[in-house]
Amino acid sequence: MSMIVSLQAPRLILSGGGAVSKVAEVLEQLGLSRPLVVTDPWMVSSGTAERVLDPLRAAGMVPGLFHETVPDPTDTVVEAGVRAFRAGDYDCLIGFGGGSPMDTAKAIAILAAAPEGVHIRAFKAPAQANRGAVPVIGIPTTAGTGSEATRFTVITDTANNEKMLIAGLGALPLAAIVDHALTWTVPARTVADTGVDSLTHALEAFVSRRANPFSDDYARLAMRLIAPNLRRAYADARSGGAGGRDEAAREAMMRGAMLAGLAFSNASVALVHGMSRPIGAHFHVPHGLSNAMLLPAVTRFGLSSALPRYAEAARIMGLADEEEGDQSAATRLVEELEALNRDLSVPTPASHGIAADRWDGLLETMAAQALASGSPANNPRVPDTAEIVDLYREVYGR
Ligand SMILES: NC(=O)c1ccc[n+]([C@@H]2O[C@H](COP(=O)([O-])OP(=O)(O)OC[C@H]3O[C@@H](n4cnc5c(N)ncnc54)[C@H](O)[C@@H]3O)[C@@H](O)[C@H]2O)c1
Ligand SMILES: [Fe+2]
């Protein structure tokens, strides 16, 4: 029997250096003219928000501005955003920034389509969030979450400190503008963290039980772009541009992040993300950094359940040649993920300053939240609660 495959993707993706200057043209093409720009305080105080606001105003539009997003955006921020949205006469939302502003814009669209009084947690997966009040345009400034091309938004429930996964077409941007020139100012630490997030998306999509031929091809493209350029982008950020910018590496990372977003949006993420969200929620570790803390151990855990897939990933990433056997190639992948963490100065939870008693006290809660998110069920090797607890113990680094 042939397989029925679906591909969900933005209607328009504009990619390349300087693409953000075309934001008004993109809106006009889509028949939109009254945007509310959703971003974070730094984007405004640094003047970066003008990169979007200027071209909109030059085209005669009067964009609104909501700039109260926080990292790991919360239900309360989304509610404030819905109030700002309802206070104006907007026909679209532009999420401008890292994953946090883009996810906030998506959640505002979803919540604003619901009757007043509904809480955003009503849309938590496995519910489907297919309706948005207005279209969302995603413009990333990190490389990155790929949120500009995914049907997901991740919102923290402040009642119980849970990072909720919300999925559906209501969260999928109508258009994405992918401009690596927006990433020059990203701090080196964040370049590393967001880059590992992209690599994790591509790898988890590739080994996911829900992978399909479309997501596979996007994952391959993404791994090919990200693997040779992540260390280069980090070095470039650390140098601060002294001696010239590594534009090729930054552009590859930005495009790779977006393609990795398309990959995991259509295949789902797996155990790394399932275990990463509770770490972010309880300890406020940046999302990509908590992924990095988990990636080598979780990959080793699943290796034998999808050996050919992990081996192909290793070959795509240039870690093994075609002749090398699967076992050996897959082992090289784990070694490379460990080396990458060393080269990117990724701490363990312990060396990041998380106290052992707090970590141990939350092991069962985090494992339960990881399992409840559904992501671990997509892993090649599906863990039970005890195995997740063991993995959390293993990565702690005491
Ligand atoms: N929706 C999805 O598909 C998806 C996928 C992965 C992650 N996420 C979510 O995205 C969020 C993380 O996003 P993120 O890692 O991009 O971080 P972020 O958006 O939280 O930003 C992190 C920090 O970097 C700063 N920053 C962003 N761009 C900058 C720039 N160009 N120059 C200087 N500083 C800049 C921000 O101001 C902020 O202080 C998490 O909440 C995560 O759960 C969502
Ligand atoms: Fe992620």
Side-chain angles (χ1 to χ4, degrees), residues 211-235:
N212 69 46
F214 288 136
S215 65
D216 282 350
D217 280 340
Y218 285 118
R220 289 188 183 98
L221 289 170
M223 287 189 280
R224 243 174 238 127
L225 284 168
I226 296 164
N229 287 296
L230 178 46
R231 285 181 180 84
R232 276 176 58 179
Y234 180 59

Side-chain angles (χ1 to χ4, degrees), residues 246-311:
D246 192 344
E247 180 144 17
R250 296 304 194 98
E251 182 165 18
M253 286 305 298
M254 198 63 160
R255 201 163 282 164
M258 182 266 290
L259 292 165
L262 284 174
F264 88 86
S265 186
N266 290 281
S268 291
V269 282
L271 184 55
V272 178
H273 272 75
M275 291 181 62
S276 178
R277 284 183 220 107
I279 300 177
H282 294 287
F283 300 105
H284 295 288
V285 177
H287 171 71
L289 189 58
S290 52
N291 285 348
M293 291 168 171
L294 293 159
L295 187 55
V298 171
T299 302
R300 199 183 306 108
F301 173 81
L303 213 59
S304 59
S305 300
L307 205 60
R309 279 270 146 166
Y310 284 112

Side-chain angles (χ1 to χ4, degrees), residues 93-378:
L93 290 151
I94 299 180
F96 179 66
S100 298
M102 289 190 286
D103 279 10
T104 303
K106 293 171 169 199
I108 292 171
I110 290 166
L111 190 58
E116 238 163 300
V118 172
H119 191 273
I120 188 70
R121 83 170 68 84
F123 296 98
K124 183 170 100 171
Q128 283 288 311
N130 282 332
R131 286 184 57 225
V134 292
V136 174
I137 290 94
I139 309 180
T141 62
T142 60
T145 65
S147 181
E148 68 276 11
T150 76
R151 58 184 181 88
F152 300 118
T153 171
V154 183
I155 301 297
T156 298
D157 188 339
T158 50
N160 59 357
N161 252 348
E162 181 186 355
K163 280 187 86 168
M164 302 180 288
L165 179 66
I166 294 167
L169 285 174
L172 180 67
L174 184 67
I177 300 179
V178 183
D179 182 348
H180 65 274
L182 293 168
T183 65
W184 297 130
T185 47
V186 181
R189 179 74 261 144
T190 306
V191 167
D193 296 346
T194 52
V196 175
D197 188 27
S198 308
L199 180 62
T200 309
H201 293 157
L203 184 59
E204 290 213 285
F206 197 59
V207 302
S208 167
R209 286 169 180 262
R210 294 166 68 186
N212 69 46
F214 288 136
S215 65
D216 282 350
D217 280 340
Y218 285 118
R220 289 188 183 98
L221 289 170
M223 287 189 280
R224 243 174 238 127
L225 284 168
I226 296 164
N229 287 296
L230 178 46
R231 285 181 180 84
R232 276 176 58 179
Y234 180 59
D236 184 54
R238 297 215 335 156
S239 78
R245 282 295 192 184
D246 192 344
E247 180 144 17
R250 296 304 194 98
E251 182 165 18
M253 286 305 298
M254 198 63 160
R255 201 163 282 164
M258 182 266 290
L259 292 165
L262 284 174
F264 88 86
S265 186
N266 290 281
S268 291
V269 282
L271 184 55
V272 178
H273 272 75
M275 291 181 62
S276 178
R277 284 183 220 107
I279 300 177
H282 294 287
F283 300 105
H284 295 288
V285 177
H287 171 71
L289 189 58
S290 52
N291 285 348
M293 291 168 171
L294 293 159
L295 187 55
V298 171
T299 302
R300 199 183 306 108
F301 173 81
L303 213 59
S304 59
S305 300
L307 205 60
R309 279 270 146 166
Y310 284 112
E312 187 184 344
R315 292 184 194 106
I316 290 167
M317 290 169 64
L319 307 171
D321 53 37
E322 296 303 324
E323 291 79 58
E324 195 159 347
D326 283 358
Q327 181 67 54
S328 161
T331 302
R332 283 186 196 275
L333 175 64
V334 178
E335 287 165 0
E336 161 63 1
L337 298 176
E338 282 166 345
L340 191 60
N341 277 4
R342 283 193 295 277
D343 294 347
L344 301 179
S345 301
V346 172
T348 62
S351 64
H352 190 62
I354 297 176
D357 57 337
R358 282 211 61 215
W359 185 261
D360 292 345
L362 280 163
L363 287 177
E364 297 287 338
T365 305
M366 292 199 295
Q369 290 178 334
L371 269 181
S373 75
S375 302
N378 306 326

